[in-house]
Amino acid sequence: MKIGFIGTGQITKAVVIGILNTKIKLNKIYISERNRKISRYLKLKSKKIVILKDNQEIINKSNWIFLAVTPDVGLKILKQYKYKKNQTVISFISTINLKELRNIIKIKTNIVRAIPLPPISFNKGPIPIFPPNIKVKNFFKHLGTVIEINNEKLSLNFWSISGMMAPYYEFLNFMSKWLRKKGIKKVKAQKYITSLFFALSEDAVLHSSKDLNNLVRDSQTPGGLNEQGVRQLKKNGFYKSTEKTLNKIFNRLKKS
């Protein structure tokens, strides 16, 4: 099978690296040269990767096409291309829904929306897809944990949560800076923070089939530091602010 990527940003980079870390059998991976730094970096990773100047050529040569451009760019350029009948098109674009994609592509073909995140580069993390598609599911299960969505409206919830990736990293960054202000060297501060939250995340994954309230409860002792931490954050409106942020992201997606 031959696959192609329209758009060569960080998500394309992460997905391609993730693919190369698996045993997925591919003949060619076509990428655009638009972002020369990323395309050249990927080219050095495998002989299967071919850089093409023309997006239409990428589409012509590929069995599967991955749309990995920003919404604004997608609305400007995707209509000008001609797609092949029964070709599989997988869109990573957050605010162009399935109906709009069908109007853009025009011919009958398989269209799936997916939400990959950077950890896909090392085959970790959730990959929601809509609508369910067995071939796409089998492809992405090598790259992470596939979550099939039956209702596109429900997929907005997953897109909303994906918008909390940078805030999460900023949370880690903020705590690391706090440690540095207290005299801890940067390398040690970052190593401690990232190792701590990596371990906590793994623990949460192991308990993901149970109520997460159990983790919140079991990590606290009466009068302890964690009890104080949760109480203070609630008092400061931290969690309500998080909910408001998610609602605003959701409303933006809903309006698109």
Side-chain angles (χ1 to χ4, degrees), residues 12-13 19 26 42 56 90 94 98 104 132 163-164 173 195-198 201 203 234 250:
T12 291
K13 178 182 176 181
I19 290 170
L26 295 172
L42 292 175
Q56 184 62 63
I90 300 171
S94 62
L98 190 63
I104 287 170
M164 298 302 288
N173 185 39
S195 296
L196 171 61
F197 280 84
F198 178 75
S201 294
D203 188 34
K234 284 183 177 179
F250 178 85

PDB file of all heavy atoms in Angstrom, residues 12-13 19 26 42 56 90 94 98 104 132 163-164 173 195-198 201 203 234 250:
ATOM      1  N   THR A  12       1.984  15.332  11.126  1.00  0.00           N
ATOM      2  CA  THR A  12       2.472  14.429  10.084  1.00  0.00           C
ATOM      3  C   THR A  12       3.791  13.797  10.520  1.00  0.00           C
ATOM      4  O   THR A  12       3.996  12.581  10.363  1.00  0.00           O
ATOM      5  CB  THR A  12       2.669  15.185   8.755  1.00  0.00           C
ATOM      6  OG1 THR A  12       1.387  15.561   8.241  1.00  0.00           O
ATOM      7  CG2 THR A  12       3.374  14.314   7.717  1.00  0.00           C
ATOM      8  N   LYS A  13       4.663  14.607  11.036  1.00  0.00           N
ATOM      9  CA  LYS A  13       5.958  14.109  11.516  1.00  0.00           C
ATOM     10  C   LYS A  13       5.761  13.011  12.556  1.00  0.00           C
ATOM     11  O   LYS A  13       6.386  11.944  12.479  1.00  0.00           O
ATOM     12  CB  LYS A  13       6.768  15.263  12.109  1.00  0.00           C
ATOM     13  CG  LYS A  13       8.114  14.861  12.684  1.00  0.00           C
ATOM     14  CD  LYS A  13       8.817  16.089  13.288  1.00  0.00           C
ATOM     15  CE  LYS A  13      10.120  15.709  13.969  1.00  0.00           C
ATOM     16  NZ  LYS A  13      10.781  16.891  14.582  1.00  0.00           N
ATOM     17  N   ILE A  19       4.568   5.327  12.377  1.00  0.00           N
ATOM     18  CA  ILE A  19       4.418   4.260  11.377  1.00  0.00           C
ATOM     19  C   ILE A  19       5.735   3.506  11.194  1.00  0.00           C
ATOM     20  O   ILE A  19       5.764   2.268  11.130  1.00  0.00           O
ATOM     21  CB  ILE A  19       3.949   4.848  10.035  1.00  0.00           C
ATOM     22  CG1 ILE A  19       2.498   5.335  10.139  1.00  0.00           C
ATOM     23  CG2 ILE A  19       4.069   3.808   8.911  1.00  0.00           C
ATOM     24  CD1 ILE A  19       2.031   6.138   8.947  1.00  0.00           C
ATOM     25  N   LEU A  26       4.165  -1.023   4.108  1.00  0.00           N
ATOM     26  CA  LEU A  26       3.907   0.048   3.154  1.00  0.00           C
ATOM     27  C   LEU A  26       4.997   0.051   2.095  1.00  0.00           C
ATOM     28  O   LEU A  26       6.173  -0.197   2.394  1.00  0.00           O
ATOM     29  CB  LEU A  26       3.893   1.405   3.871  1.00  0.00           C
ATOM     30  CG  LEU A  26       2.784   1.643   4.902  1.00  0.00           C
ATOM     31  CD1 LEU A  26       3.041   2.940   5.641  1.00  0.00           C
ATOM     32  CD2 LEU A  26       1.419   1.650   4.243  1.00  0.00           C
ATOM     33  N   LEU A  42      12.331  13.642   7.804  1.00  0.00           N
ATOM     34  CA  LEU A  42      11.647  12.370   7.612  1.00  0.00           C
ATOM     35  C   LEU A  42      12.289  11.541   6.498  1.00  0.00           C
ATOM     36  O   LEU A  42      12.384  10.314   6.606  1.00  0.00           O
ATOM     37  CB  LEU A  42      10.164  12.607   7.304  1.00  0.00           C
ATOM     38  CG  LEU A  42       9.319  13.181   8.441  1.00  0.00           C
ATOM     39  CD1 LEU A  42       7.909  13.486   7.967  1.00  0.00           C
ATOM     40  CD2 LEU A  42       9.287  12.225   9.631  1.00  0.00           C
ATOM     41  N   GLN A  56      -1.197  17.243  -5.765  1.00  0.00           N
ATOM     42  CA  GLN A  56      -2.008  16.416  -6.650  1.00  0.00           C
ATOM     43  C   GLN A  56      -1.278  15.122  -7.004  1.00  0.00           C
ATOM     44  O   GLN A  56      -1.878  14.052  -7.092  1.00  0.00           O
ATOM     45  CB  GLN A  56      -2.356  17.183  -7.931  1.00  0.00           C
ATOM     46  CG  GLN A  56      -3.299  16.424  -8.873  1.00  0.00           C
ATOM     47  CD  GLN A  56      -4.647  16.135  -8.233  1.00  0.00           C
ATOM     48  OE1 GLN A  56      -5.396  17.035  -7.883  1.00  0.00           O
ATOM     49  NE2 GLN A  56      -4.967  14.856  -8.060  1.00  0.00           N
ATOM     50  N   ILE A  90      -8.191  10.202   5.153  1.00  0.00           N
ATOM     51  CA  ILE A  90      -8.226  10.327   6.607  1.00  0.00           C
ATOM     52  C   ILE A  90      -7.873  11.765   6.971  1.00  0.00           C
ATOM     53  O   ILE A  90      -6.780  12.244   6.668  1.00  0.00           O
ATOM     54  CB  ILE A  90      -7.244   9.352   7.270  1.00  0.00           C
ATOM     55  CG1 ILE A  90      -7.612   7.915   6.885  1.00  0.00           C
ATOM     56  CG2 ILE A  90      -7.264   9.520   8.792  1.00  0.00           C
ATOM     57  CD1 ILE A  90      -6.599   6.877   7.296  1.00  0.00           C
ATOM     58  N   SER A  94      -9.464  19.623  12.491  1.00  0.00           N
ATOM     59  CA  SER A  94     -10.393  19.685  13.623  1.00  0.00           C
ATOM     60  C   SER A  94     -11.757  20.270  13.284  1.00  0.00           C
ATOM     61  O   SER A  94     -12.774  19.804  13.792  1.00  0.00           O
ATOM     62  CB  SER A  94      -9.763  20.477  14.765  1.00  0.00           C
ATOM     63  OG  SER A  94      -9.499  21.814  14.359  1.00  0.00           O
ATOM     64  N   LEU A  98     -17.549  15.934   8.512  1.00  0.00           N
ATOM     65  CA  LEU A  98     -17.639  14.902   7.479  1.00  0.00           C
ATOM     66  C   LEU A  98     -18.424  15.377   6.253  1.00  0.00           C
ATOM     67  O   LEU A  98     -18.030  15.124   5.114  1.00  0.00           O
ATOM     68  CB  LEU A  98     -18.280  13.639   8.066  1.00  0.00           C
ATOM     69  CG  LEU A  98     -18.242  12.393   7.192  1.00  0.00           C
ATOM     70  CD1 LEU A  98     -16.806  11.954   6.921  1.00  0.00           C
ATOM     71  CD2 LEU A  98     -19.021  11.255   7.853  1.00  0.00           C
ATOM     72  N   ILE A 104     -16.109  18.722  -0.342  1.00  0.00           N
ATOM     73  CA  ILE A 104     -14.801  19.107  -0.857  1.00  0.00           C
ATOM     74  C   ILE A 104     -14.268  18.050  -1.821  1.00  0.00           C
ATOM     75  O   ILE A 104     -13.768  18.358  -2.911  1.00  0.00           O
ATOM     76  CB  ILE A 104     -13.806  19.322   0.309  1.00  0.00           C
ATOM     77  CG1 ILE A 104     -14.141  20.622   1.055  1.00  0.00           C
ATOM     78  CG2 ILE A 104     -12.363  19.375  -0.197  1.00  0.00           C
ATOM     79  CD1 ILE A 104     -13.379  20.808   2.349  1.00  0.00           C
ATOM     80  N   PRO A 132     -16.688   4.669  12.354  1.00  0.00           N
ATOM     81  CA  PRO A 132     -15.936   3.426  12.494  1.00  0.00           C
ATOM     82  C   PRO A 132     -15.579   2.852  11.124  1.00  0.00           C
ATOM     83  O   PRO A 132     -16.401   2.854  10.205  1.00  0.00           O
ATOM     84  CB  PRO A 132     -16.911   2.510  13.240  1.00  0.00           C
ATOM     85  CG  PRO A 132     -17.779   3.455  14.011  1.00  0.00           C
ATOM     86  CD  PRO A 132     -17.962   4.642  13.099  1.00  0.00           C
ATOM     87  N   GLY A 163      -7.517  19.695  22.869  1.00  0.00           N
ATOM     88  CA  GLY A 163      -7.061  21.072  22.996  1.00  0.00           C
ATOM     89  C   GLY A 163      -6.426  21.371  24.348  1.00  0.00           C
ATOM     90  O   GLY A 163      -5.976  22.498  24.583  1.00  0.00           O
ATOM     91  N   MET A 164      -6.379  20.365  25.223  1.00  0.00           N
ATOM     92  CA  MET A 164      -5.784  20.555  26.538  1.00  0.00           C
ATOM     93  C   MET A 164      -4.359  20.016  26.614  1.00  0.00           C
ATOM     94  O   MET A 164      -3.766  19.973  27.697  1.00  0.00           O
ATOM     95  CB  MET A 164      -6.659  19.878  27.604  1.00  0.00           C
ATOM     96  CG  MET A 164      -8.067  20.451  27.695  1.00  0.00           C
ATOM     97  SD  MET A 164      -8.086  22.232  28.066  1.00  0.00           S
ATOM     98  CE  MET A 164      -7.566  22.211  29.778  1.00  0.00           C
ATOM     99  N   ASN A 173       5.460  22.647  32.913  1.00  0.00           N
ATOM    100  CA  ASN A 173       6.469  23.688  32.770  1.00  0.00           C
ATOM    101  C   ASN A 173       6.419  24.665  33.956  1.00  0.00           C
ATOM    102  O   ASN A 173       7.448  25.080  34.494  1.00  0.00           O
ATOM    103  CB  ASN A 173       6.249  24.433  31.454  1.00  0.00           C
ATOM    104  CG  ASN A 173       7.330  25.455  31.163  1.00  0.00           C
ATOM    105  OD1 ASN A 173       8.509  25.221  31.427  1.00  0.00           O
ATOM    106  ND2 ASN A 173       6.946  26.590  30.610  1.00  0.00           N
ATOM    107  N   SER A 195       9.005  12.803  35.198  1.00  0.00           N
ATOM    108  CA  SER A 195       8.992  11.420  35.673  1.00  0.00           C
ATOM    109  C   SER A 195       7.807  11.163  36.601  1.00  0.00           C
ATOM    110  O   SER A 195       7.154  10.116  36.531  1.00  0.00           O
ATOM    111  CB  SER A 195      10.298  11.098  36.407  1.00  0.00           C
ATOM    112  OG  SER A 195      11.402  11.175  35.551  1.00  0.00           O
ATOM    113  N   LEU A 196       7.532  12.133  37.456  1.00  0.00           N
ATOM    114  CA  LEU A 196       6.407  12.007  38.386  1.00  0.00           C
ATOM    115  C   LEU A 196       5.090  11.863  37.635  1.00  0.00           C
ATOM    116  O   LEU A 196       4.307  10.940  37.884  1.00  0.00           O
ATOM    117  CB  LEU A 196       6.356  13.218  39.319  1.00  0.00           C
ATOM    118  CG  LEU A 196       5.105  13.327  40.215  1.00  0.00           C
ATOM    119  CD1 LEU A 196       4.994  12.133  41.141  1.00  0.00           C
ATOM    120  CD2 LEU A 196       5.129  14.631  41.004  1.00  0.00           C
ATOM    121  N   PHE A 197       4.835  12.767  36.681  1.00  0.00           N
ATOM    122  CA  PHE A 197       3.548  12.751  35.999  1.00  0.00           C
ATOM    123  C   PHE A 197       3.448  11.622  34.972  1.00  0.00           C
ATOM    124  O   PHE A 197       2.351  11.165  34.654  1.00  0.00           O
ATOM    125  CB  PHE A 197       3.266  14.123  35.380  1.00  0.00           C
ATOM    126  CG  PHE A 197       2.752  15.102  36.395  1.00  0.00           C
ATOM    127  CD1 PHE A 197       3.628  15.812  37.207  1.00  0.00           C
ATOM    128  CD2 PHE A 197       1.393  15.280  36.590  1.00  0.00           C
ATOM    129  CE1 PHE A 197       3.164  16.684  38.173  1.00  0.00           C
ATOM    130  CE2 PHE A 197       0.915  16.156  37.557  1.00  0.00           C
ATOM    131  CZ  PHE A 197       1.805  16.856  38.348  1.00  0.00           C
ATOM    132  N   PHE A 198       4.589  11.159  34.487  1.00  0.00           N
ATOM    133  CA  PHE A 198       4.583   9.962  33.644  1.00  0.00           C
ATOM    134  C   PHE A 198       4.120   8.759  34.456  1.00  0.00           C
ATOM    135  O   PHE A 198       3.263   7.985  34.016  1.00  0.00           O
ATOM    136  CB  PHE A 198       5.980   9.705  33.076  1.00  0.00           C
ATOM    137  CG  PHE A 198       6.081   8.457  32.242  1.00  0.00           C
ATOM    138  CD1 PHE A 198       5.560   8.414  30.959  1.00  0.00           C
ATOM    139  CD2 PHE A 198       6.694   7.316  32.745  1.00  0.00           C
ATOM    140  CE1 PHE A 198       5.649   7.269  30.185  1.00  0.00           C
ATOM    141  CE2 PHE A 198       6.791   6.165  31.984  1.00  0.00           C
ATOM    142  CZ  PHE A 198       6.271   6.139  30.700  1.00  0.00           C
ATOM    143  N   SER A 201       0.432   9.050  35.269  1.00  0.00           N
ATOM    144  CA  SER A 201      -0.379   8.758  34.090  1.00  0.00           C
ATOM    145  C   SER A 201      -0.462   7.256  33.840  1.00  0.00           C
ATOM    146  O   SER A 201      -1.530   6.727  33.500  1.00  0.00           O
ATOM    147  CB  SER A 201       0.197   9.462  32.865  1.00  0.00           C
ATOM    148  OG  SER A 201       0.091  10.861  33.000  1.00  0.00           O
ATOM    149  N   ASP A 203      -0.204   4.950  36.091  1.00  0.00           N
ATOM    150  CA  ASP A 203      -1.069   4.430  37.152  1.00  0.00           C
ATOM    151  C   ASP A 203      -2.539   4.655  36.800  1.00  0.00           C
ATOM    152  O   ASP A 203      -3.383   3.773  36.988  1.00  0.00           O
ATOM    153  CB  ASP A 203      -0.727   5.116  38.473  1.00  0.00           C
ATOM    154  CG  ASP A 203      -1.448   4.495  39.664  1.00  0.00           C
ATOM    155  OD1 ASP A 203      -1.670   3.266  39.654  1.00  0.00           O
ATOM    156  OD2 ASP A 203      -1.786   5.235  40.605  1.00  0.00           O
ATOM    157  N   LYS A 234      -9.466  23.551  44.325  1.00  0.00           N
ATOM    158  CA  LYS A 234     -10.922  23.693  44.207  1.00  0.00           C
ATOM    159  C   LYS A 234     -11.357  25.080  44.691  1.00  0.00           C
ATOM    160  O   LYS A 234     -12.190  25.736  44.060  1.00  0.00           O
ATOM    161  CB  LYS A 234     -11.637  22.619  45.021  1.00  0.00           C
ATOM    162  CG  LYS A 234     -11.629  21.247  44.380  1.00  0.00           C
ATOM    163  CD  LYS A 234     -12.427  20.243  45.216  1.00  0.00           C
ATOM    164  CE  LYS A 234     -12.488  18.887  44.529  1.00  0.00           C
ATOM    165  NZ  LYS A 234     -13.241  17.899  45.351  1.00  0.00           N
ATOM    166  N   PHE A 250     -15.167  23.588  22.993  1.00  0.00           N
ATOM    167  CA  PHE A 250     -16.284  22.827  22.430  1.00  0.00           C
ATOM    168  C   PHE A 250     -17.208  23.713  21.612  1.00  0.00           C
ATOM    169  O   PHE A 250     -17.613  23.352  20.488  1.00  0.00           O
ATOM    170  CB  PHE A 250     -17.080  22.168  23.553  1.00  0.00           C
ATOM    171  CG  PHE A 250     -18.290  21.396  23.097  1.00  0.00           C
ATOM    172  CD1 PHE A 250     -18.169  20.086  22.677  1.00  0.00           C
ATOM    173  CD2 PHE A 250     -19.547  21.988  23.081  1.00  0.00           C
ATOM    174  CE1 PHE A 250     -19.268  19.366  22.250  1.00  0.00           C
ATOM    175  CE2 PHE A 250     -20.650  21.286  22.651  1.00  0.00           C
ATOM    176  CZ  PHE A 250     -20.516  19.973  22.235  1.00  0.00           C
TER     177      PHE A 250
END
